[in-house]
Structures are given as structure tokens and as C-alpha cells.
């Protein structure tokens, strides 16, 4: 059977990864599988356990690491985020295309384990715009927004390590670019 394919999406918090991901996943013909991550972060309003993330305690997260159930994980701010191994392995063995939406440290780990992974970095038009988007969604405190902007500056410095950089200036264009890249595998 044809083996599946891994795609990694990274990009600073607030750049619009979620919106683009939703758009790609709604296109059933692409048959993309989205890896739902595990996190110790608290859910934002509207986020659903098992859909957006598996929301767990620090102890549960550490238990998963100990039991070798996490493909990659990283600390981002004060929380842990990780990719559950089992669904990814299952989809890959079924020949599916699997999307991991993860930050840069996780992308490094995946790249070193799976050299043929396709990696994409979603870039904001500017730090200023990113700050406006992050503040505008009103899901984080000002202190958290500042923390995320500091992380974003470091992440942007790693963009050249990715196969593709998509600038999310106009959403429609970014979606079109993402589609082009996903389809041309
Ligand atoms: P947020 O709190 O905004 O949902 O996510 C914070 C950051 O963690 C984002 O950059 C997001 O891509 C990343 N992230 C989400 N899930 C994972 C994961 O499973 N592994 C890693 N390494 N990063 C993740």
C-alpha cells in the first residue's frame, strides 16, 4: 500500500493558521487528516476537547510522554503541546496526508525523524499586524499577547528552515498558496 505523507504547518500565534487549516480541511477531495494535539493550556471560549485539542493536565501530559505516546512535543510559553502518535501512524499506514500544526521546535523534531516531510511557514505581513490580530481576538491577556509576540520574533527567524513560506496578507491568497503546495506533492 502507498505510504502516507506528512505536512507540517508552523507560524506565529495569531497569523491565521487555524483559519487556513479549516479551509483546507473543508475540501473533502484533498482527504487531509488533521492531527489533534494534546495541550496543558486551558481551552479558549468555543474550543472543544477532542476537536481543537485534547486538553489535559500537566500530569496526564507527562504520563503520555513516559508511555511513548507522543510523536513530538514542546514547551510554548508556560504550557506543553504535543502530537499523539497513534492516529498519525494509523493515517500514514493508510496512505493519507496528515497535517501537523505545530511550532518550530516540534517541526525540528519531525524534520529530523521524517526527512521527506513537507514543511510550511505561515508568515504575518508585519509584527504590527500580528499584534493587532492577536489583541483583536481578545482571547489572551495583554501580558500573554506580549509573550506571544516575543516568541513570534524568534519563530520568524526560523522561517528559512521551511520548504515554503506563505505570507498571510490576504487570506484568499494564502489559502490559494497553501492549496497549490498541498496539491503538488
Ligand atoms: P495556541 O496556544 O495558540 O493554540 O498554540 C500555541 C503554539 O503551539 C502554536 O504555535 C501552535 O502551532 C503550537 N502547537 C499546537 N499543537 C502543537 C503540538 O502538538 N506540538 C508542538 N510542538 N506545537 C504545537
Amino acid at each position: 500500500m502507498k505510504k502516507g505523507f506528512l505536512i507540517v504547518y508552523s507560524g506565529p500565534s495569531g497569523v491565521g493558521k487555524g483559519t487556513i487549516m479549516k479551509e483546507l480541511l473543508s475540501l473533502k477531495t484533498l482527504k487531509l487528516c488533521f492531527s489533534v494535539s494534546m495541550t496543558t493550556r486551558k481551552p479558549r471560549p468555543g474550543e472543544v476537547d477532542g476537536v481543537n485539542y485534547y486538553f489535559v493536565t500537566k500530569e496526564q501530559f507527562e504520563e503520555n510522554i513516559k508511555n511513548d505516546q507522543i510523536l513530538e512535543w514542546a514547551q510554548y510559553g508556560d504550557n506543553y503541546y504535543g502530537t499523539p502518535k497513534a492516529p498519525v501512524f494509523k493515517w500514514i499506514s493508510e496512505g493519507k496526508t496528515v497535517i501537523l500544526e505545530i511550532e518550530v521546535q516540534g517541526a525540528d523534531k519531525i524534520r529530523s525523524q521524517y526527512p521527506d516531510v513537507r514543511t510550511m511557514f505561515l508568515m504575518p505581513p508585519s509584527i504590527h499586524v500580528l499584534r493587532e490580530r492577536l489583541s483583536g481576538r481578545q482571547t489572551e491577556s495583554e501580558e500573554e499577547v506580549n509573550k506571544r509576540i516575543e516568541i513570534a520574533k524568534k519563530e520568524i527567524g526560523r522561517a528559512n528552515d521551511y520548504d515554503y513560506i506563505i505570507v498571510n496578507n490576504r487570506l484568499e491568497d494564502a489559502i490559494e498558496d497553501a492549496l497549490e503546495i498541498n496539491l503538488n506533492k
Side-chain angles (χ1 to χ4, degrees):
M1 193 203 277
K2 181 175 154 284
K3 261 187 74 196
F5 191 79
L6 270 183
I7 296 181
V8 162
Y9 265 93
S10 299
S13 175
V15 73
K17 294 188 296 281
T19 314
I20 291 179
M21 213 59 62
K22 219 187 253 171
E23 203 61 42
L24 294 180
L25 292 170
S26 73
L27 300 167
K28 300 290 177 219
T29 46
L30 291 182
K31 296 200 184 81
L32 299 173
C33 297
F34 178 72
S35 159
V36 178
S37 295
M38 196 174 276
T39 184
T40 59
R41 156 166 94 56
K42 296 275 165 289
R44 293 182 189 130
E47 283 186 331
V48 178
D49 187 44
V51 176
N52 303 92
Y53 280 109
Y54 295 105
F55 296 100
V56 297
T57 61
K58 192 163 174 268
E59 290 70 31
Q60 287 169 320
F61 196 97
E62 285 167 351
E63 192 65 21
N64 273 275
I65 295 173
K66 209 174 87 194
N67 295 335
D68 197 25
Q69 285 166 341
I70 302 289
L71 185 60
E72 63 70 36
W73 65 276
Q75 189 171 353
Y76 174 98
D78 300 327
N79 288 299
Y80 292 140
Y81 294 81
T83 304
K85 225 181 219 181
V88 174
F89 281 11
K90 177 176 168 282
W91 288 326
I92 292 291
S93 73
E94 291 170 355
K96 306 239 171 75
T97 301
V98 184
I99 295 195
L100 310 182
E101 192 245 276
I102 60 179
E103 50 66 72
V104 294
Q105 306 165 70
D108 285 342
K109 290 180 199 159
I110 296 293
R111 223 184 262 109
S112 65
Q113 289 178 64
Y114 304 95
D116 57 352
V117 62
R118 174 169 303 176
T119 59
M120 285 180 244
F121 191 91
L122 205 55
M123 183 74 96
S126 70
I127 296 284
H128 173 73
V129 168
L130 187 68
R131 184 183 285 281
E132 281 190 337
R133 287 184 189 163
L134 264 178
S135 305
R137 72 183 188 191
Q138 296 185 324
T139 47
E140 277 85 16
S141 64
E142 198 186 329
E143 188 196 347
E144 181 64 27
V145 168
N146 287 336
K147 267 193 205 167
R148 285 177 176 243
I149 291 289
E150 286 316 304
I151 298 174
K153 289 180 191 167
K154 294 197 186 103
E155 289 179 320
I156 288 169
R158 296 290 317 280
N160 282 334
D161 294 331
Y162 284 72
D163 298 326
Y164 298 90
I165 298 175
I166 299 174
V167 182
N168 191 10
N169 197 2
R170 231 180 110 244
L171 188 64
E172 294 78 5
D173 293 338
I175 290 168
E176 215 165 275
D177 286 353
L179 265 176
E180 185 81 14
I181 291 162
N182 277 351
L183 289 171
N184 288 338
K185 65 173 192 199

